[in-house]
Amino acid sequence: MATLAQRWLTGSFTAFRVALAHPELRRVQLAWAASASGEFVSIVALGVFAYEAGGAAAVGVVAVVQMVPAMILSPVAGVLGDRFRREGVVIGADVLRAASMALAAAAALADAPVAVVYVLAAILALGSQAFYPAQTALVPLLARTADDVTAASAASSLIRNAAGLVAPAV
């Protein structure tokens, strides 16, 4: 059993090392880490805000407010990386997400109506629907080999899981 876990960890860290050795893939992975960290922090912050504003039911409401528009518009947002330059879509989506997070934080601090924060949370979720497909489609364009694509995919999973664990704690 220890051998299986040891092989799995070795494979994961080897993939991570390979993905970070390539300068262009390293930039994509670092951007992915920052983006995923921001997303997880915003999820926690919105949950805390909603809970303080209206209890457990409000946390459910903010989740629905984010999920329904994202679900409806995700097919359109998902193809933006095929219609426009993927780098531009990734950057634009993250700028939209960062701006909506900053505006939501400012609205919460200014005691704006809860609906304002919830609308900004929905905009944040919409940006995510464009970001992930474009970022994933960008990797094969930057990779030199199929092994680089595989390593970048494994590294992306490791980064997202680590961001989900570490970023909210920080």
Side-chain angles (χ1 to χ4, degrees):
M1 186 68 163
T3 306
L4 179 63
Q6 189 175 21
R7 280 188 294 161
W8 180 82
L9 285 172
T10 302
S12 294
F13 287 116
T14 299
F16 193 70
R17 184 183 45 76
V18 168
L20 294 181
H22 186 298
E24 291 163 336
L25 290 177
R26 180 174 50 245
R27 283 192 290 274
V28 170
Q29 298 300 338
L30 292 173
W32 173 244
S35 183
S37 295
E39 179 182 11
F40 284 113
V41 168
S42 73
I43 289 169
V44 171
L46 285 167
V48 170
F49 171 81
Y51 187 79
E52 289 178 355
V59 175
V61 168
V62 78
V64 168
V65 164
Q66 285 187 292
M67 284 185 204
V68 170
M71 178 185 67
I72 292 168
L73 293 176
S74 66
V76 174
V79 299
L80 290 176
D82 293 331
R83 306 275 292 152
F84 303 101
R85 288 183 54 91
R86 290 178 176 114
E87 301 93 329
V89 173
V90 167
I91 292 167
D94 254 3
V95 166
L96 175 68
R97 289 166 25 146
S100 62
M101 279 188 254
L103 290 171
L109 288 172
D111 290 326
V114 173
V116 171
V117 176
Y118 289 4
V119 167
L120 290 165
I123 293 169
L124 167 66
L126 292 174
S128 297
Q129 300 310 307
F131 178 85
Y132 299 125
Q135 186 265 349
T136 303
L138 184 60
V139 169
L141 299 176
L142 300 174
R144 291 182 221 143
T145 66
D147 288 342
D148 287 348
V149 175
T150 303
S153 176
S156 292
S157 294
L158 182 63
I159 288 168
R160 181 156 177 84
N161 291 331
L165 179 65
V166 175
V170 171

